[in-house]
Amino acid sequence: MATTAADPLARKPFGQTGLFVPPVAVGCAPIGNMPEAFGYGVTDEDALATIRAALDSPIPYIDTAALYGDGESERRVGLVLRERGGLPENAFLQTKQGRNPKNDDYSGETVKRRMERSLELLGVDRIEVVYLHDQEWTTFEEAMAPGGPIAVLQHFREQGVIGHLGVAGGPIPVQVQYIETGLFDAVIHHNRYTLLNRSADPLIEAAVARGMAVLNAAP
């Protein structure tokens, strides 16, 4: 596939990481089979067919999270990756780590366990981008504390298990607080930048000024 300037599916720079990604990612929250969130369930058959189609398409960019179905989305993505003998060379995979939805624990130890589970479910030993997920469920001080969630993810990055770190959440002031640390390469925001709601402008400006990749999860 050509990737000329006129091509709407041409890959885009992922901030200043040196990576190039499709302009649209395939969000895998629904395939976590969460009828309480989406109003419908998704069978294994439909989920696997969706992932296969995404990997075969011009946008093989898979976005999942440990929270989606509490591992079910990652499990299903992992089944297809195993079919393919691993993540295809042209594909891009990212996931997110945060609280345990069973008890809302957001400790560093919880993030460590869930990151290890994600690697097992996805069947990979490295994930290019991992986001601190819905950090509004903890405090900035607790997230930044020694041994806390961010320190745990940084340790995985130092080991080469994670390529780059991001933050993915909702409230703009919370997001900006993390962006201003300079620790992250990417940010995902949702429900704050649409045709009618441009409240994410300060977030986008702060992130772009630092050379971060910016992803809009609810355009």
Side-chain angles (χ1 to χ4, degrees), residues 8-219:
L9 295 178
R11 297 204 171 203
K12 310 294 185 184
F14 193 79
Q16 294 182 341
T17 64
L19 300 169
F20 287 82
V21 300
V24 179
V26 178
C28 292
I31 69 165
N33 191 29
M34 300 188 291
E36 70 282 1
F38 296 101
Y40 60 90
V42 177
T43 65
D44 253 11
E45 180 182 8
D46 287 344
L48 300 184
T50 299
I51 301 159
R52 292 178 189 123
L55 291 177
D56 291 335
S57 79
I59 52 169
Y61 185 169
I62 303 297
D63 171 274
T64 184
L67 186 67
Y68 298 161
D70 198 14
E72 182 64 1
S73 175
E74 291 179 323
R75 184 188 72 83
R76 289 169 161 183
V77 171
L79 289 175
V80 176
L81 295 186
R82 288 179 175 88
E83 288 178 1
R84 303 292 173 101
L87 185 69
E89 285 188 9
N90 71 325
F92 194 82
L93 172 68
Q94 62 185 32
T95 194
K96 312 177 195 73
Q97 301 298 336
R99 66 187 172 93
N100 180 342
K102 294 182 174 66
N103 58 13
D104 294 334
D105 178 66
Y106 210 130
S107 66
E109 184 58 32
T110 288
V111 170
K112 178 178 181 293
R113 289 196 303 268
R114 292 175 74 79
M115 180 66 199
E116 290 169 344
R117 186 188 71 171
S118 293
L119 294 168
E120 182 178 350
L121 290 173
L122 291 165
V124 298
D125 55 16
R126 175 184 166 89
I127 301 174
E128 198 61 60
V129 184
V130 176
Y131 298 81
L132 186 71
H133 196 193
D134 289 349
Q135 63 272 30
E136 58 267 27
W137 284 83
T138 186
T139 66
F140 181 75
E141 292 72 22
E142 290 174 342
M144 295 291 294
I150 292 174
V152 166
L153 293 179
Q154 287 177 314
H155 182 62
F156 278 112
R157 182 177 59 184
E158 291 163 3
Q159 293 178 313
V161 175
I162 293 173
H164 303 278
L165 295 179
V167 284
I172 299 303
V174 175
Q175 292 280 72
V176 170
Q177 197 172 21
Y178 287 86
I179 287 171
E180 290 178 344
T181 67
L183 296 174
F184 301 96
D185 298 304
V187 59
I188 295 176
H189 65 87
H190 55 78
N191 300 328
R192 308 300 194 279
Y193 195 78
T194 68
L195 290 175
L196 300 179
N197 180 354
R198 298 302 175 98
S199 60
D201 271 330
L203 177 153
I204 295 171
E205 291 171 3
V208 170
R210 288 164 176 78
M212 296 172 64
V214 180
L215 297 87
N216 185 1

